[in-house]
DNA sequence: TCATAAGCGAGACGGTACGTCCGGTCTTTGG
DNA sequence: CCAAAGACCGGACGTACCGTCTCGCTTATGA
């Protein structure tokens, strides 16, 4: 998942892995901001140049490292019930956002606000693939009539995940898994009062 | 709107204002990340110490500066139509998020990811007051039956604004004012297919 | 012993003394270099301005403070034996130069190397008066034939005291009182071998 | 002639020399006290860190720079006449002490009064080697009977040079070369009146 | 007796330099 | 020719002091 250029197949896989591991470890221990490239190099037993040869910045290293962590998780579940599947996935995300280790992700997104290349890498590497997974699941649900036919699915994906990111990045409140139900409820049923029948049950499919 | 301590009545209002102005100007010209405290001090014709005396960090200076900019805007509109009022307000936010000057806000939020004190200052100074404005408007709407009685209004505020922040901070796509309609439509009517009647009009009350 | 200008009889003797005392105390505790004007002001319970009103610099304050310390010591002894009187006086100086408190004097002379006004103050206040005392004593000795008639007494004063200052300021070796005898012996008898008789006993009186 | 530690063979000789040259130049132009480490670094086209890596302080840089200047001068002259040789050497020192460039040396000694490490460096690098040169010359003279056999030569060296340093550091009067004769005359012949001795003896011999 | 003028404690101010840290590049040495 | 080690230039950091300034308050003088 290298972002940089300038060399061929001579790359040392040993150093590659050591750098990613060291970067993650140090970020966990002291935070992304306090983790310097020098420190990563030293921790990895690697020359600083070796880092700069393969990544354009500290942020890029961590984008790759974070991605490698999350790469194990497979795609979106599909039980046939879109509400349940979204809940499953969102709860996983909400749980992750509550852990300390998500701080690194959070800080990386923060750093990317001043680093367009890093922002692009985050999008391409971390966000878009997962968004696409979600979107594909939504498409099936829409075809099955579980979701309004006129809804733009890109908008829907954002509507669903945005509250989690909002809380992560603004720190208004923790992304508790219980809140996932609340969000999904609102998103599925909308704000408008159900005129005849008194706002019926919430979840379902 | 000072964030720091250590002082009494001796404060020079002239320096105070010069610092906020200089900070905003430099951030506009070269971005928050490339704006150093030294540069702000020089631009403001002020000793660096004077900045550190009153603010704990560059980020804190800009939180106050940004707040002062937005302080002119009065509260939430109330025409009686919650949908229209939300649209008015969201369009204003979306417009702001599209301008270059919002980059400063964006980068400040980014920096706050590694600076809990700054994050708190953003919440207290910038976010919470505006969220409360919105919330109060929603309360009136709920009392008037324009919004489901069982909806938690804090959740609603987040649901509405989160997509704008999501796009601002992840850079998925610009926060075009046209998108505001789409978001509001989804939020008001929900994802669930309208069973008998084909997804009716959007606004209304 | 003020060095500065700008004022009349309104001077607060209380503050004057407090400043001198505080300056000496802090220099003893932490050295002249680490003693700031702010610290002196605070220790003395005095505004910084009050120091700058009466002295041009920290160094000037300490010149006066040191002088006040030494002002108690009366003039040069005169027992009729110039050798003995010089020894008495030199031993006193050598003892002082060995103590920790002479560090302040030493550092003040050091600071004066980059501050001509301070250098002049040291000369006028501390050095010249004592040199004149010594010179007057030497004049009487010369008239009594105890010192070569052709010796320039200014040169003699310097020749005698210079080795003590040399050791103080270059730190070659401590100014042990025993060394005073050695110096005086050399100065009185000279380096040249006593041709007929093999250089006999050393001191006298 | 490095004074600091922390490094091996990677040192850039180019930077090393540029720093010493810049330091001397700036001290000549504006004095040691007004010469900042930042200014030296800038003048030398060098990072400040590079200075701090190899020297503990500005003073240490100048000790080395001054030493390099004087390193060209070879040892003590030896014409067989100790009086003449001392005069030659002392005149050279006196001339140097009169020039503007000795101000740097003077200020460095001044700064060392508040910096024991620098004081030691001055001793080891600048003073002791030259003192030893002088001492060795005196030893030969003593063996040849040109100097009293019972004179301690370390004392003699100090006795001779101390008046020059005294005038340099206390600024009583300039170290005019003509004064060298006067000093040497006193030092060689002593203060005691010569033979027919009328005036009752003060001391012995 | 009181007005006034100054010194005074306090401390913020513009400014300079400090010594440290880190980013990104270059150089040295070894495999 | 890659890689470790790490020195290098540059620039920003946050702190410490400098000497000046502005505040109210107190205090001594002399009208």
């Amino acid at each position: 998942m290298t972002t940089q250029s300038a060399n061929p197949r001579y790359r040392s896989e040993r150093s590659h892995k050591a750098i990613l591991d060291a970067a993650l470890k140090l970020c966990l221990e002291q935070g992304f901001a306090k983790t310097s490239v020098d420190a990563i190099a030293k921790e990895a037993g690697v020359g600083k140049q070796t880092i700069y040869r393969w990544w354009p910045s500290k942020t890029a290293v961590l984008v790759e490292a974070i991605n490698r962590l999350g790469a194990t998780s497979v795609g979106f579940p599909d039980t046939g019930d879109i509400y349940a599947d979204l809940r499953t996935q969102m709860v996983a995300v909400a749980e992750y956002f509550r852990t300390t280790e998500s701080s690194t992700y959070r800080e990386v997104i923060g750093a990317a606000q001043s680093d367009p290349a890093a922002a692009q890498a985050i999008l391409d590497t971390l966000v878009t693939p997962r968004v696409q997974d979600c979107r594909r699941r939504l498409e099936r649900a829409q075809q099955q009539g579980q979701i309004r036919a006129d809804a733009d699915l890109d908008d829907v994906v954002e509507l669903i995940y945005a509250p989690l990111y909002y809380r992560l990045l603004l720190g208004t409140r923790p992304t508790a898994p219980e809140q996932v139900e609340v969000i999904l409820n609102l998103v599925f049923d909308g704000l408008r009062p159900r005129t005849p029948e008194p706002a019926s049950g919430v979840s379902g499919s």
Side-chain angles (χ1 to χ4, degrees), chain A:
Chain A
M1 198 56 54
T2 55
T3 318
Q4 179 87 335
S5 58
N7 31 40
R9 62 212 181 276
Y10 290 106
R11 181 166 195 180
S12 154
E13 197 48 45
R14 196 191 150 287
S15 297
H16 186 166
K17 185 174 180 334
I19 289 165
L20 297 179
D21 290 347
L24 276 180
K25 182 185 169 210
L26 291 176
C27 284
L28 254 186
E29 287 172 9
Q30 26 170 320
F32 171 84
K34 299 205 163 179
T35 299
S36 66
V37 175
D38 296 67
I40 295 173
K42 186 142 291 184
E43 172 76 24
V46 139
K48 228 188 336 171
Q49 189 67 246
T50 302
I51 296 180
Y52 283 111
R53 203 178 345 256
W54 304 102
W55 292 275
S57 67
K58 177 177 71 163
T59 312
V61 173
L62 277 142
V63 170
E64 180 177 344
I66 290 170
N67 184 53
R68 181 185 281 212
L69 272 191
T72 48
S73 66
V74 275
F76 228 84
D78 187 349
T79 66
D81 178 351
I82 185 61
Y83 186 99
D85 289 349
L86 282 173
R87 185 178 53 201
T88 303
Q89 199 67 5
M90 283 177 70
V91 164
V93 171
E95 295 278 21
Y96 171 63
F97 281 6
R98 278 213 302 185
T99 61
T100 349
E101 66 181 311
S102 72
S103 289
T104 304
Y105 182 38
R106 198 166 47 72
E107 289 193 65
V108 164
I109 294 175
Q113 303 307 319
S114 304
D115 179 347
Q120 195 59 50
I122 291 173
L123 266 189
D124 295 345
T125 307
L126 299 175
V127 176
T128 305
R130 288 162 179 79
V131 161
Q132 288 309 319
D133 280 354
C134 181
R135 198 199 138 95
R136 275 189 293 271
R137 179 66 189 85
L138 286 170
E139 282 168 5
R140 288 195 296 277
Q142 196 173 39
Q143 285 156 8
Q144 294 163 6
Q146 294 180 358
I147 283 179
R148 272 166 59 187
D150 66 333
D152 179 292
L153 296 184
D154 287 327
D155 293 327
V156 173
V157 175
E158 281 189 10
L159 191 65
I160 289 169
Y161 283 109
L164 296 181
Y165 275 93
Y166 180 94
R167 294 179 197 182
L168 178 72
L169 295 167
L170 290 189
T172 49
R173 28 182 182 161
T175 57
E178 310 85 71
Q179 291 281 341
V180 164
E181 294 277 2
V182 179
I183 294 169
L184 276 180
N185 174 16
L186 281 174
V187 168
F188 266 75
D189 288 333
L191 297 183
R192 212 178 300 286
R194 293 285 164 266
T195 20
E197 65 282 84
S200 73
V202 161
S203 80
S205 81

